[in-house]
Amino acid sequence: MTVTQPVVCTTVAQLREEIAARVAAGAATVGLLPTMGALHHGHLEIARRTRAENDLAVVSVFVNPLQFGPGEDFESYPRQLAQDVAALAAEGVDLVFAPPVEEMYPGGAPVVSVTSGTAGAVLEGATRPGHFDGALTVVNKLFTIMAPGPRIPFRAYFGEKDAQQLLLMQRMVRDFDHRVEIRPVPIVRSERGLALSSRNQYLSAEQAEHALVLHRTLVALAAGELTLEQARERVAAEPEVRLDYLVTVDPQDLELVDPAPGALALVAAWVGPTRLIDNMRI
Amino acid sequence: MTVTQPVVCTTVAQLREEIAARVAAGAATVGLLPTMGALHHGHLEIARRTRAENDLAVVSVFVNPLQFGPGEDFESYPRQLAQDVAALAAEGVDLVFAPPVEEMYPGGAPVVSVTSGTAGAVLEGATRPGHFDGALTVVNKLFTIMAPGPRIPFRAYFGEKDAQQLLLMQRMVRDFDHRVEIRPVPIVRSERGLALSSRNQYLSAEQAEHALVLHRTLVALAAGELTLEQARERVAAEPEVRLDYLVTVDPQDLELVDPAPGALALVAAWVGPTRLIDNMRI
């Protein structure tokens, strides 16, 4: 089987030229999957969908320093562009945007940036200060850089598992009037309900069994069988599981609300030493 | 003389449709002058330039609640849309974008917004906390809403008198990769050098005389005839004048720098009860 290699763009100007040329040549829709590289099965699943749903399929590979905190692993984060490009070639992706840091942030960190205020400082943001603002800042740039013009539908793909990130991206599109349609990608689960994550590999067989309490409790909460307090107690009572939070929020602004229809239930817990997140619409 | 009335758009969708229709009909360049209305001579001068330099001339009239602080005059800020539209008609402006607050911020204040961090909190930002972030947030929206597409040059006009605002807008365009060219509009001065401002009307004849020290001192500083300290002393020594700040900054990030070529000298002072600002490139 022959695969066409994607064009790898390393500058903003080159990416814009490639997109303009392909739109001029007839591409009527553009799709973007933003990643930090080190692509795994889950990414490739979304790349396939991006490919299938758009004339022009673009994947960005950029380890964004802004979304790492001081104690975090920006330097040691895995970088394997050649492997990633090969994997994306097999999925038929057209363009890979892999800029160096200096191309995205010439002269250092941006002076003007994106902030999600308190909505990005709670829940996952509480354990990673600045993380969401960094992610929003780089995705805002990707949206503006790639904007193919008013007549060309432009879609961006984000997983539902990182619910807070997805909600903030949707909110940015609305608050900034980006002409981008966010296409959420549903959580993929094991047969027994555990949300797939690269961190699941750290779970022992026994821990993986205990971790099922997260999904089971979300289902019961969504069905109205448990109050929020009972749901928390059920998670906390599971051996080896330590609850970080279990809340229901308004997907518009991430404010805490009662577990009523339309709300989103979010859970984070340590199972042994491994931190897992999951979520479900009520 | 007959004048064509500008089309007044009150929704984002309507503005986008009008721009798309005019681009489709052959408009090859788009210009934007963002205002809060209550247009005076200075605005109309810039409107004329926007008209002359672009096929499609757009003026936004929007009193942006985000850029007013709690103690400020958002409610009482003058609103006179009919007069403004008539004045813009006389200048040949094509479109006026005058959305209600709910159109720009549906459901209330945005969750995701633009911040300039410390660069927007110093100098003028020190006396108006949040002001520049509010201005950047709304102009970012205007840029995204109006973006006419990759092939159509898009220009936005800002006065050099509000130097910090201009620098932050230029920085946002660069940091956000907006496809907008900021066209700075030079300061208009009286014959004797006083920067024109609607606040000059509050000055007595004597105060207007004392206010000339601002421009005179900037000229001497730019010519290297005074040190920064001597320049401050000269302003402070003028009767009726109370210096707020006189600094030189790097126009890239508003960091304080020595008064060397390329730096921008910024001054703010009260003359009697009236606060004036002025600036000059070294």
Side-chain angles (χ1 to χ4, degrees), chain A residues 44-255:
Chain A
L44 297 177
E45 188 92 19
I46 311 181
R48 210 166 300 141
R49 194 173 149 200
T50 309
R51 165 70 293 163
E53 294 178 357
N54 299 280
D55 290 348
L56 179 60
V58 184
V59 176
S60 64
V61 173
F62 179 63
V63 184
N64 174 28
L66 296 192
Q67 65 195 76
F68 289 81
E72 294 181 358
D73 56 342
F74 171 68
E75 296 300 336
S76 64
Y77 196 89
R79 286 159 175 90
Q80 48 174 58
L81 184 61
Q83 271 172 262
D84 290 344
V85 171
L88 294 170
E91 301 301 344
V93 165
D94 300 296
L95 302 179
V96 174
F97 181 47
V101 170
E102 311 75 55
E103 178 71 10
M104 292 301 270
Y105 306 119
V111 170
V112 177
S113 62
V114 181
T115 182
S116 50
T118 51
V122 296
L123 307 170
E124 291 306 292
T127 54
R128 302 189 68 185
H131 169 72
F132 288 116
D133 287 355
L136 290 163
T137 296
V138 77
V139 170
N140 177 57
K141 281 173 72 79
L142 292 172
F143 287 172
T144 313
I145 291 167
M146 290 185 56
R151 293 163 310 109
I152 308 290
F154 178 25
R155 296 84 176 243
Y157 295 78
F158 292 89
E160 288 184 347
K161 179 143 177 299
D162 290 319
Q164 191 174 7
Q165 171 177 273
L166 170 62
L167 296 179
L168 290 173
M169 294 294 168
Q170 288 173 318
R171 188 70 210 209
M172 177 170 72
V173 165
R174 174 179 147 186
D175 286 340
F176 283 15
D177 301 282
H178 276 300
R179 265 186 264 224
V180 178
E181 180 198 341
I182 303 278
R183 296 206 165 167
V185 179
I187 296 175
V188 183
R189 299 183 181 279
S190 73
E191 265 182 37
R192 301 187 59 206
L194 184 63
L196 294 196
S197 161
S198 46
R199 287 178 172 170
N200 293 353
Q201 62 183 299
Y202 304 129
L203 301 173
S204 69
E206 204 182 317
Q207 286 168 343
E209 191 69 31
H210 293 308
L212 295 173
V213 72
L214 300 182
H215 176 247
R216 206 164 53 228
T217 305
L218 288 174
V219 169
L221 180 65
E225 294 163 11
L226 298 175
T227 66
L228 204 48
E229 203 38 61
Q230 289 168 331
R232 286 178 184 140
E233 282 163 13
R234 181 185 286 193
V235 174
E238 185 77 18
E240 294 224 47
V241 174
R242 185 160 57 87
L243 182 64
D244 183 359
Y245 59 79
L246 196 174
V247 296
T248 44
V249 301
D250 179 343
Q252 295 302 314
D253 54 15
L254 287 155
E255 299 275 351

Side-chain angles (χ1 to χ4, degrees), chain A residues 16 111 113 115 141 175 177, chain B residues 16 111 113 115 141 175 177:
Chain A
R16 284 181 160 165
V111 170
S113 62
T115 182
K141 281 173 72 79
D175 286 340
D177 301 282
Chain B
R16 284 181 160 165
V111 169
S113 62
T115 181
K141 281 173 72 80
D175 285 341
D177 300 283

Side-chain angles (χ1 to χ4, degrees), chain B residues 27 58 68 83 92 129 147 173 203 238 281:
Chain B
V58 184
F68 289 79
Q83 272 172 261
V173 165
L203 301 173
E238 186 77 19
R281 207 60 180 255

